[in-house]
Amino acid sequence: MKTGKRKPFKPARNLPPPLNVTIGVAGHIDHGKTELVKMLTGCDTDRLKEEKERGMSIELGYAPLSCRRQPGGDRGCAGS
């Protein structure tokens, strides 16, 4: 067992700064676009009273999403 002073923790590598990217979600009515954005960001983009009453988006909605790129691999998903 080693004894003595511990060295401070240093990350193995520096992470790059977060990217600023705008992602658009498009599709047919009532296919879950707003729910997808809500699940990814935690923000409800339906902010108008009429949108909530009708259960349908009328105006464009925006929601922030914070992601960090990890060195050594990017994640992607299939498009439609």
Side-chain angles (χ1 to χ4, degrees):
M1 182 172 177
K2 291 184 179 181
T3 59
K5 223 175 186 182
R6 285 186 145 181
K7 293 181 181 178
F9 174 76
K10 290 184 182 177
R13 58 183 175 232
N14 293 328
L15 294 176
L19 287 174
N20 291 320
V21 178
T22 300
I23 300 172
V25 180
H28 291 283
I29 189 169
D30 205 24
H31 279 203
K33 299 173 298 296
T34 302
E35 285 299 313
L36 174 65
V37 172
K38 190 187 300 185
M39 290 175 67
L40 290 173
T41 65
C43 293
D44 187 3
T45 56
D46 285 345
R47 58 195 186 283
L48 301 176
K49 180 182 174 188
E50 187 177 355
E51 290 177 323
K52 295 192 184 290
E53 289 172 355
R54 295 172 65 181
M56 180 174 57
S57 298
I58 299 169
E59 294 288 327
L60 287 177
Y62 297 92
L65 175 62
S66 180
C67 296
R68 286 201 174 268
R69 280 192 345 206
Q70 299 295 324
D74 290 322
R75 290 164 185 82
C77 59
S80 55

